[in-house]
Amino acid sequence: MLLQHWINDCNIKHVCRPKDPVLPKRLIDLSATKNPGILKLDCSKDRSDSNYAALSHRWGDPNLHREFRLQKDNLSQWQRQLELKKLPKTFRDAVTITRMLGIRYLWIDSLCIVQNSIEDWRAECQKMEEVFSSAYVTLSATCSNGTSDGFLKPHPEEGPKARTYSPINVPTANGRSSRVYICNAIDDFKRDVEEAELSTRGWVFQERALSRRVLHFTDTQMYWECGKGVRCETMMRMYNRKSSFLSDPNFPESMASHYKGMRIIFFENIYEKYSQLSFTYWRDRAVALAGIERRLARVYATRARYGILDHSDRSYLRRSLLWQRAVSDAAPREQHSLPKIEFGAGQEVPSWSWMAVMGAIEYMPVPFDVVDWDASLKWVSESEKREELVGRAKDADGSGNIEGIIWDRPEESERENLRMVIVGTERTYGVGDVSKHYVIVVASIPGPSGVVWERVGVGAVVKEPGWIEGLTWIRVE
């Protein structure tokens, strides 16, 4: 079988297979009973078999999916029995493939995390790095539109994705000929996977990056992706350099050996790509990247949270803060906006993080090695729920119409009582008569204990050398 061949070949020739897997809190046991139609939710701490498959999929319509979620009131029932026939098609397909590969356990987010328990959901979401990096293989339901759609589908019979075979006669050594069949060119990983609807989802970005090996089920064919590239059903092999970090089993350890500029460009590229993705619930934006940020923090020896890196090298934090709304060629900047995300109590994200807003971001084009970063700017954590940015600020010039500022939302330019927090100054700009300062623009709002400052924009302002004098300290939440 082709699937088993790919896995066996990877096991023998590559180093992609997890060595010391950390098993999830709960797994679906596919062999707990003699009846193949009865599954069980295994919550035991000791399991003799450490291999499990993980499913990466779209939920689709939340209302249709609601019946197939682990809840507080069905937890004990599912530990006794879970009927396969009652599961939606995508989940049944995952069971089929997992059994076909000879794997006993399967992890599916909505069946293994208690969906109506905030405590369990938060705890398990923090373990996504372990769940996907420890999986023997990740099954990606790329062609499925939701849990009821399934991903084991017949190949299209018509159109550009249809698979056709053309017979040709090939001469042999004994003077005769042998008939072989040539398949049309159907291998298009970019179209079938990179540009698939599933790849536009925020949670899936992390799942693919953290997985060591992925089986993509598309509407054209299966693709096998591991640290050595991509394999196709047509026996073709390919390697996509632009997205190779997503298939790197040791992501992002390879970046540790690069010079600082490349490491910065690397994490900026990750965050820009991630910011373009969508969510059913936008409040998940900060949570769905926690596993990747944990790895970045470990490899870069820094603090990484909310899409911000705080390294002993002060440029990491300052460059992380200089994000702006992405600007497409189709519309002027004034038509773009980053709406705020409404968070629940205890889930708040600081305003100076792009994870506090919806929409795509990009980073300001700041040159390397010519900027003096303000050493007084600090990221202060008073508690898990209170993160502040402390720095020196200058009053804005009387109104919001400040040249060089890109507003997070166009209406913010009409705010009063604006200040600019100094992030850095470009020392080679001009010949001494003016200076370019990189700043975060903040506005005041009433807080429970006085004035609170929040980010509303970012930019580079050109001022006379003496402009930076007379700064005052402020705290940005």
Side-chain angles (χ1 to χ4, degrees), residues 23 68-69 85 109 112 163 208 319 349 364 367 443:
L23 299 186
F68 310 105
R69 300 181 187 181
K85 66 180 181 181
D109 51 4
C112 296
R163 186 182 307 190
R208 181 180 168 199
R319 286 183 178 274
V349 173
M364 294 187 66

Side-chain angles (χ1 to χ4, degrees), residues 70 123 225 345 373:
L70 179 61
E225 182 181 25
W373 301 108

Side-chain angles (χ1 to χ4, degrees), residues 255-270 300 309 311 313 315-316 319-320 363-364 366-370 373:
M255 290 306 302
S257 60
H258 289 264
Y259 66 89
K260 183 183 71 176
M262 277 299 299
R263 294 197 300 271
I264 291 174
I265 292 173
F266 180 69
F267 79 71
E268 287 183 345
N269 181 54
I270 289 177
Y300 281 33
L309 269 66
H311 192 270
D313 183 323
S315 65
Y316 280 71
R319 286 183 178 274
S320 292
Y363 289 88
M364 294 187 66
V366 182
F368 285 95
D369 301 323
V370 296
W373 301 108

Side-chain angles (χ1 to χ4, degrees), residues 176-430:
R176 298 181 180 181
S177 63
S178 175
R179 173 164 290 193
V180 298
Y181 290 83
I182 305 298
C183 179
N184 60 316
I186 62 170
D187 303 329
D188 194 334
F189 190 75
K190 182 175 184 292
R191 177 198 64 193
D192 296 340
V193 175
E194 303 281 359
E195 297 177 352
E197 178 65 25
L198 183 67
S199 297
T200 68
R201 310 302 298 174
W203 280 101
V204 173
F205 181 86
Q206 174 173 256
E207 293 165 5
R208 181 180 168 199
L210 297 178
S211 296
R212 304 177 71 85
R213 311 187 294 191
V214 183
L215 267 172
H216 300 276
F217 294 86
T218 76
D219 55 7
T220 302
Q221 63 171 308
M222 294 181 299
Y223 292 93
W224 168 267
E225 182 181 25
C226 70
K228 294 300 181 179
V230 175
R231 285 189 170 189
C232 314
E233 287 187 46
T234 59
M235 305 304 172
M236 282 288 293
R237 300 187 184 190
M238 59 183 67
Y239 184 78
N240 187 348
R241 185 172 298 276
K242 289 185 178 180
S243 63
S244 60
F245 75 91
L246 289 173
S247 57
D248 182 359
N250 298 310
F251 159 87
E253 293 180 8
S254 60
M255 290 306 302
S257 60
H258 289 264
Y259 66 89
K260 183 183 71 176
M262 277 299 299
R263 294 197 300 271
I264 291 174
I265 292 173
F266 180 69
F267 79 71
E268 287 183 345
N269 181 54
I270 289 177
Y271 289 151
E272 287 179 349
K273 285 180 178 294
Y274 179 75
S275 74
Q276 299 169 18
L277 306 178
S278 55
F279 290 89
T280 302
Y281 304 106
W282 278 98
R283 60 180 178 271
D284 292 347
R285 195 176 204 189
V287 182
L289 202 67
I292 287 180
E293 291 200 299
R294 194 172 292 111
R295 285 200 183 181
L296 286 172
R298 186 167 62 246
V299 173
Y300 281 33
T302 183
R303 173 169 52 167
R305 197 177 179 195
Y306 306 125
I308 306 294
L309 269 66
D310 188 10
H311 192 270
S312 56
D313 183 323
R314 66 184 63 159
S315 65
Y316 280 71
L317 173 61
R318 280 76 183 166
R319 286 183 178 274
S320 292
L321 295 169
L322 294 177
W323 54 268
Q324 65 186 50
R325 52 187 167 83
V327 180
S328 70
D329 296 332
R333 294 188 175 191
E334 290 75 16
Q335 294 183 20
H336 291 260
S337 183
L338 297 173
K340 293 181 182 179
I341 298 174
E342 296 296 329
F343 293 98
Q347 295 180 301
E348 297 86 353
V349 173
S351 68
W352 36 272
S353 163
W354 54 266
M355 289 187 176
V357 296
M358 310 177 204
I361 62 107
E362 61 189 21
Y363 289 88
M364 294 187 66
V366 182
F368 285 95
D369 301 323
V370 296
V371 176
D372 291 323
W373 301 108
D374 193 307
S376 64
L377 188 63
K378 298 184 183 301
W379 174 0
V380 179
S381 299
E382 294 188 357
S383 68
E384 280 287 326
K385 299 179 180 180
R386 186 177 179 86
E387 308 277 354
E388 295 183 336
L389 196 66
V390 179
R392 301 182 302 158
K394 183 79 174 181
D395 288 343
D397 298 338
S399 70
N401 187 21
I402 310 169
E403 186 176 353
I405 298 300
I406 298 174
W407 303 98
D408 297 339
R409 294 162 293 280
E411 64 271 17
E412 303 289 7
S413 64
E414 304 299 325
R415 298 273 289 269
E416 297 180 352
N417 196 17
L418 297 171
R419 293 188 182 181
M420 290 182 279
V421 180
I422 307 300
V423 178
T425 301
E426 190 172 330
R427 59 177 175 270
T428 59
Y429 187 84

